[in-house]
Amino acid sequence: MGIVAGLDSSPDFTRIVVCDTDTGAVLRQGYAPHPVDGADGAARPSDIDPQAWLLSLGEAAGGGLLEGVQAIGVSSQQNALVPLDAQGNTVRPAMVGGDRRAQVAAADLIDGLGGREEWARAVGAVPQAAHPVTKLRWLAKTDPDAAHRTAALLQAHDWLVWQLLGRPGRRTTDRGGASGTGYWSAAQGGYRHDLVELALGHRTLLPDVIGPSEAAGTTPEGLLISAGTGETMAAAFGLGIGLGDAVVSLGASGSVMAVHPEALVDQSGMITSLADATGMHLPVVTTLNAVRTLRGAAELLGLGDLEALSELAVKSTPGAHGLVMLPYLEGERTPNLPHTAGTLAGLRRESMRPEHLARAAFEGMLCGLADALDVLRGRGVEVRRLFLLGAAAELAAVQAAAPALFGVQIVVPQPADYAAIGAARQAAWALGVSQGTLDPRTPPAWQQPAAQVLEPGEELAVGQAVRQQYVSVREQTHPGAFRS
């Protein structure tokens, strides 16, 4: 049929993939870092001029990369808030990332609505420092003039789509992006304008939420622009996950998300109720301690990298000779133990060897994520297959332990920018619907990514015994931590 493009504007760079409309095969790609202010660029700032995203986009698309492309989709970093004045100009630089300046504002908002449970009921999420709604409260408290001049709100992908279309009168977003703002409810499918007013002091214009297969518009040159979405939703769409699938992301912190047919309202605040890029829902549970647990163990053992820690861990056996690590090194969010510390239990003379400590670090990290997965399972989310993402997913110790500890088939996809691929798939969907060749309720069936598939096999019983050992230590150390 033709070719489409997907654009992923991450916190640090822009990547563009050009894909075959029918199969999703990546035909060519471009990349450019975002321009960095300052001499060394060592610390990523919390305030970014959105024009930097456009400059990076233009560089990534250079050399005729988009020649022949019929439609483009945009995915972008989540939680980036772009406040606009009445003329559509930025009031101040965009506020991006997990902005620590806003931590007090998050607590203010939680109290202002009457507690965590009220927020969970209202929008399926409890305010964190990263949420746009929290940044609005911070702006109102620290820069009242800028807050007063704020007449409209966009997120990063909304702003990029609007710019690509030539700044039309109508501004749009999608369900996925809107669900991460803290002022749109995935369960109700609508904005909570009162929460914007609670945070900012007055109401503003908010972008229209359009359907997953709708087009945001067409450029004067005839290039169709799809709805766009956040990076998490785009990556899920690029991976092709569906009902029965979950994704575990191994970063410094960790996250577990799954596709579900309905929004989950969780009064404990452990589940964040997001919408996906297809019309379904994407409940997410996060942990504060994932790969940072491994890095800490590697430093303690005097090892140079995670590969060395993995090589050491595989010399041990499942259960690490009774050594159990509760990996709550930075406190923990799942379970909600913000002021606790990690625990190393089961020390005996025979367990006090480097390889057992290394194994306990891997098992502790994975068991912590299995706890997060069980939060979803406990709410009726079916999980038959689990995608494992992040560089640590390639480590032998992770691949040896994960299938039996999670108790399901593990898929380790080949590294790729799945957010850009998901954005391209969304573009192909919108293009097909506009041409009458695709159903607006059914996305194009693209080829699955190349991946390793790992089965629990005969190790399942051993893995579940290790998991039970971990749960016993957790219950003894933090009794009732998972009771809502």
Side-chain angles (χ1 to χ4, degrees):
M1 285 174 57
I3 56 175
V4 292
L7 182 159
D8 174 31
S9 181
S10 84
D12 297 311
F13 60 83
T14 298
R15 189 178 301 279
I16 301 174
V17 297
V18 176
C19 299
D20 178 271
T21 308
D22 293 327
T23 67
V26 176
L27 306 175
R28 52 186 188 261
Q29 53 189 308
Y31 167 88
H34 292 329
V36 178
D37 294 329
D40 56 11
R44 181 188 301 153
S46 297
D47 293 337
I48 295 290
D49 183 348
Q51 293 296 326
W53 305 333
L54 282 182
L55 291 170
S56 175
L57 189 165
E59 186 178 344
L65 182 75
L66 299 181
E67 186 175 345
V69 166
Q70 297 169 280
I72 188 166
V74 176
S75 100
S76 190
Q77 59 182 303
Q78 289 158 241
N79 302 319
L81 181 68
V82 186
L84 304 177
D85 63 19
Q87 288 72 45
N89 301 313
T90 52
V91 169
R92 67 178 312 282
M95 294 173 278
V96 301
D99 196 331
R100 295 196 173 194
R101 299 174 300 181
Q103 287 177 337
V104 173
D108 285 348
L109 283 176
I110 292 170
D111 291 342
L113 195 63
R116 297 168 61 88
E117 295 82 3
E118 291 302 318
W119 278 96
R121 276 195 286 267
V123 290
V126 177
Q128 306 287 329
H131 278 120
V133 72
T134 305
K135 291 167 181 171
L136 288 178
R137 168 55 68 95
W138 177 86
L139 183 63
K141 293 291 187 182
T142 61
D143 193 346
D145 178 64
H148 179 72
R149 289 187 292 115
T150 297
L153 301 173
L154 295 177
Q155 292 189 87
H157 82 81
D158 310 333
W159 188 85
L160 285 166
V161 166
W162 187 54
Q163 296 294 322
L164 290 172
L165 291 172
R167 296 165 57 107
R170 184 195 190 203
R171 303 182 186 104
T172 62
T173 190
D174 84 307
R175 297 169 63 256
S179 67
T181 60
Y183 46 80
W184 187 87
S185 167
Q188 302 301 321
Y191 283 115
R192 288 288 303 264
H193 293 276
D194 59 314
L195 298 182
V196 174
E197 187 172 5
L198 174 68
L200 189 62
H202 62 90
R203 299 195 179 195
T204 68
L205 294 175
L206 300 171
D208 293 343
V209 180
I210 62 176
S213 62
E214 288 185 64
T218 304
T219 67
E221 297 77 24
L223 183 67
L224 184 141
I225 310 292
S226 63
T229 195
E231 271 188 323
T232 297
M233 301 79 187
F237 198 39
L239 284 166
I241 69 168
L243 291 173
D245 291 334
V247 177
V248 170
S249 294
L250 300 176
S253 55
S255 68
V256 181
M257 64 181 179
V259 177
H260 198 57
E262 59 189 28
L264 295 179
V265 176
D266 174 49
Q267 294 186 19
S268 74
M270 283 191 288
I271 299 174
T272 297
S273 186
L274 300 177
D276 79 345
T278 72
M280 302 284 277
H281 294 269
L282 203 63
V284 179
V285 179
T286 60
T287 68
L288 297 181
N289 302 278
V291 175
R292 63 166 41 100
T293 304
L294 305 183
R295 297 202 184 283
E299 290 174 12
L300 183 64
L301 293 168
L303 301 174
D305 54 35
L306 298 186
E307 286 74 15
L309 184 72
S310 175
E311 290 173 8
L312 187 62
V314 296
K315 295 178 182 177
S316 180
T317 54
H321 274 247
L323 209 56
V324 175
M325 181 182 292
L326 302 182
Y328 305 154
L329 308 183
E330 299 283 330
E332 189 47 79
R333 183 175 171 187
T334 306
N336 186 29
L337 299 168
H339 306 299
T340 194
T343 301
L344 191 62
L347 282 171
R348 293 185 175 86
R349 180 65 190 89
E350 62 270 21
S351 66
M352 295 177 70
R353 296 183 59 83
E355 61 268 28
H356 302 324
L357 177 59
R359 179 88 187 195
F362 279 97
E363 291 179 345
M365 175 189 75
L366 293 171
C367 284
L369 288 161
D371 277 351
L373 182 64
D374 281 351
V375 171
L376 295 178
R377 283 172 160 158
R379 294 297 306 278
V381 177
E382 184 180 8
V383 178
R384 298 187 300 271
R385 183 173 63 160
L386 190 150
F387 287 75
L388 205 55
L389 302 184
E394 303 286 335
L395 296 173
V398 170
Q399 295 190 6
L405 290 178
F406 287 114
V408 293
Q409 182 187 83
I410 301 291
V411 179
V412 184
Q414 179 179 300
D417 194 327
Y418 290 106
I421 293 170
R425 189 179 178 206
Q426 187 191 64
W429 194 6
L431 179 65
V433 169
S434 73
Q435 295 173 335
T437 58
L438 288 178
D439 188 321
R441 296 162 298 181
T442 307
W446 279 11
Q447 60 194 12
Q448 290 287 302
Q452 288 177 274
V453 178
L454 310 169
E455 300 284 355
E458 297 177 357
E459 297 297 316
L460 180 59
V462 173
Q464 295 309 293
V466 173
R467 180 80 201 291
Q468 186 54 52
Q469 176 180 267
Y470 175 92
V471 170
S472 296
V473 171
R474 190 197 69 222
E475 279 299 304
Q476 290 167 11
T477 311
H478 304 287
F482 275 99
R483 290 178 198 149
S484 54

